[in-house]
Amino acid sequence: MCGSGAVHLARSTSAPFIFDLEPGQRNIEVRWRAPERPNGKIIGYKIVHTPPGANFTVGADTLSYNIQGLEPWTQYHVKVSAQTSAGFGNYSELQNPVRTLEGKPEALSLSCRGDLSIPPLSSSLGRILSDPTANHQVCLLLHPTRR
């Protein structure tokens, strides 16, 4: 209490501790422990990831969050802050960036040199061009694209 009768609310004196970051292809599961020395009763948490700087809030009883909608094979920094009646406290210490998993190829494209006017044949690997007048395949070049 200050001499004027006003109540002074300080921020949390310690930060949550992130102990697990589990990446998926388009998500990261974040798990943390509550601050050891909160400044009052914790009423929620804020989870922030960069890029692009999005943030999410969860209730006091939640100690994990699954960040969705991320890009495959991209590095992200994640941090967590606890909220008390005084506001949000310090963020967890910055962890090494976590990389989401590689994306699976969604499409295969064919590149071929030469003049062919025959339609491509389908295969489980992609598309194959063949010349019905020859006893061999003309070309097969697959280029996976990631999303």
Side-chain angles (χ1 to χ4, degrees), residues 39-133:
N39 184 30
K41 182 178 178 178
I42 293 174
I43 58 176
Y45 292 95
K46 182 190 298 184
I47 301 97
V48 177
H49 73 81
T50 56
N55 67 73
F56 310 93
T57 55
V58 296
D61 295 334
T62 304
L63 296 174
S64 67
Y65 188 79
N66 194 346
I67 302 170
Q68 301 280 329
L70 304 177
E71 291 297 318
W73 202 242
T74 303
Q75 286 189 344
Y76 291 92
H77 287 278
V78 179
K79 58 187 179 179
V80 178
S81 173
Q83 181 183 19
T84 67
S85 60
F88 285 99
N90 298 324
Y91 280 101
S92 54
E93 290 198 24
L94 193 59
Q95 305 287 318
N96 288 330
V98 61
R99 184 184 295 274
T100 50
L101 302 179
E102 257 185 298
K104 295 179 183 174
E106 289 197 6
L108 299 174
S109 63
L110 177 67
S111 297
C112 188
R113 293 185 183 181
D115 295 328
L116 292 176
S117 59
I118 34 183
L121 303 173
S122 294
S123 87
S124 62
L125 293 175
R127 298 167 66 97
I128 301 173
L129 284 180
S130 61
D131 182 347
T133 62

